[in-house]
Amino acid sequence: MKKVVGILFVAVAAVLMMSSFAGKGSGIEFSKITLESAKKKASKSGKLIFIDAYTDWCGPCKRMAATTFKDPEVGKLFNKNFVSLKVEMEKDDDRREIAKRYRVSA
């Protein structure tokens, strides 16, 4: 568990550091699949799972989606190493499982 948290921390830090270079481009390719499907896909591909837990009203979430997540270099890094999911934490089906399992509280 500590290894996963450490890896996710590094990934998030990389995204935040690269946010100043955000521009137009392909960016992160978010899969429109369930968490269970993402686990299977990650297992087969040897990738980790990156989850953007957001809400429609979250200003910082919107900023990340409009800048950092669209950055070509960020996309290159994440698309190579992660199965990426966007989960709307007030609407999506997997939200309760994700909130409980990964302690998403705010």
Side-chain angles (χ1 to χ4, degrees):
M1 182 66 169
K2 287 181 182 181
K3 183 178 179 181
V4 172
V5 171
I7 291 169
L8 289 175
F9 177 78
V10 170
V12 171
V15 169
L16 293 175
M17 287 180 3
M18 293 178 167
S19 66
S20 62
F21 302 111
K24 293 185 178 183
S26 58
I28 298 175
E29 296 170 8
F30 288 96
S31 299
K32 296 185 181 193
I33 56 177
T34 64
L35 179 59
E36 198 58 42
S37 295
K39 288 177 185 178
K40 290 176 185 173
K41 185 175 180 179
S43 179
K44 287 180 184 177
S45 65
K47 295 181 179 182
L48 297 171
I49 298 173
F50 172 72
I51 301 172
D52 174 27
Y54 74 99
T55 61
D56 289 337
W57 50 264
C58 173
C61 301
K62 289 180 182 182
R63 181 164 169 77
M64 291 282 285
T67 58
T68 306
F69 294 163
K70 289 185 179 180
D71 183 277
E73 291 299 314
V74 173
K76 188 175 172 182
L77 174 79
F78 273 70
N79 297 337
K80 179 180 176 185
N81 298 293
F82 296 92
V83 173
S84 299
L85 301 176
K86 281 183 138 323
V87 179
E88 211 296 348
M89 295 305 290
E90 292 183 336
K91 299 176 184 173
D92 289 352
D93 294 338
D94 286 341
R95 71 186 185 276
R96 287 186 180 94
E97 178 186 353
I98 289 168
K100 183 177 179 181
R101 176 179 222 116
Y102 302 108
R103 300 180 192 168
V104 178
S105 61

